[in-house]
């Protein structure tokens, strides 16, 4: 059953960290108590489910494509993400996602730590993400929507002379100082 956003924003402590681990297909294999509380999920309802279980419909698909392309290539990524809780509330996170490797260097899953983002950073990212979502909505076919939003994201970043990681750290460093 699809959860409908309620517009209620949830938060968590500045000293708390949301942690999840997934298998290589993105199914949740571990969730800490902060994740379960903030996402309004019972552990039994989270484990084994695809991580997009908490995907908010206002998150641009182009950002998730960038995230998955990055971690599947073996690199880490930092990203601002809007999530949807099981009760319809939403919450922003500053996520660090990295592949988990076995002794032979093969990917055995992904590890994500998420912290409470600064409100100014959320405002800046919300504006960018809304422009990307608007571009996605202009195209009735998903591949076209994804390509158009990805091109817009690349154009926005190029106009700033930044890559997505550089943009994320630029926003983070400006809002933390």
């Amino acid at each position: 059953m699809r959860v409908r956003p309620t517009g209620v924003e949830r938060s968590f402590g500045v000293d708390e960290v949301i942690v999840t681990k997934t298998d290589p297909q993105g199914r949740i294999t571990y969730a800490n108590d902060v994740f379960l509380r903030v996402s309004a999920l019972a552990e039994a309802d989270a484990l084994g489910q695809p991580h997009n279980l908490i995907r908010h419909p206002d998150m641009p698909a182009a950002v998730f494509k960038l995230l998955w392309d990055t971690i599947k290539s073996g690199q880490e990524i930092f990203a601002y993400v809007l999530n949807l809780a099981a009760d319809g509330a939403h919450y922003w996170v500053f996520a660090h996602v990295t592949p988990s490797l076995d002794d032979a260097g093969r990917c055995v899953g992904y590890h994500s730590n998420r912290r409470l983002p600064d409100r100014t950073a959320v405002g800046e990212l919300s504006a960018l993400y809304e422009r990307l979502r608007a571009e996605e909505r202009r195209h009735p076919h998903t591949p076209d929507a994804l390509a158009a939003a990805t091109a817009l994201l690349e154009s926005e970043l190029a106009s700033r002379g930044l890559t997505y990681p550089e943009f994320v750290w630029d926003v983070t460093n400006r809002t933390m100082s």
Side-chain angles (χ1 to χ4, degrees):
M1 184 169 126
R2 189 101 180 118
V3 175
R4 299 184 71 172
T6 62
V8 173
E9 184 166 4
R10 179 165 297 132
S11 189
F12 54 100
V14 295
D15 58 342
E16 292 185 301
V17 179
I18 294 174
V19 180
T20 54
K21 296 178 183 179
T22 69
D23 65 15
Q25 289 74 43
R27 291 184 297 260
I28 299 169
T29 58
Y30 170 80
N32 74 349
D33 60 335
V34 181
F35 173 83
L36 296 172
R37 185 185 78 241
V38 175
S39 66
L41 286 165
E43 186 175 46
D45 295 330
L47 298 182
Q49 296 300 311
H51 208 282
N52 67 9
L53 169 77
I54 58 168
R55 183 174 178 172
H56 195 288
D58 289 344
M59 267 303 291
V63 174
F64 279 113
K65 180 181 183 327
L66 173 68
L67 188 150
W68 277 102
D69 287 351
T70 301
I71 61 176
K72 283 183 175 180
S73 75
Q75 300 174 32
E76 67 180 356
I77 189 168
F78 290 85
Y80 288 88
V81 178
L82 175 64
N83 289 320
L84 180 64
D87 60 2
H90 65 272
Y91 58 98
W92 280 93
V93 297
F94 181 51
H96 174 220
V97 187
T98 185
S100 299
L101 307 177
D102 67 11
D103 291 341
R106 291 181 299 248
C107 180
V108 294
Y110 301 100
H111 184 120
S112 178
N113 293 326
R114 285 150 277 168
R115 297 186 182 280
L116 187 67
D118 178 90
R119 295 305 307 170
T120 304
V122 167
E124 192 165 335
L125 271 293
S126 291
L128 171 61
Y129 288 1
E130 178 50 38
R131 289 192 298 278
L132 297 175
R133 286 289 299 144
E135 184 64 23
E136 289 173 355
R137 286 190 296 267
R138 288 179 2 96
H139 302 274
H141 302 291
T142 300
D144 297 338
L146 185 57
T150 298
L152 177 59
L153 176 61
E154 291 170 354
S155 172
E156 294 254 354
L157 294 170
S159 72
R160 299 167 196 239
L162 300 171
T163 63
Y164 184 80
E166 291 168 338
F167 171 66
V168 165
W169 283 111
D170 179 62
V171 170
T172 302
N173 291 333
R174 277 188 286 114
T175 59
M176 293 178 70
S177 56

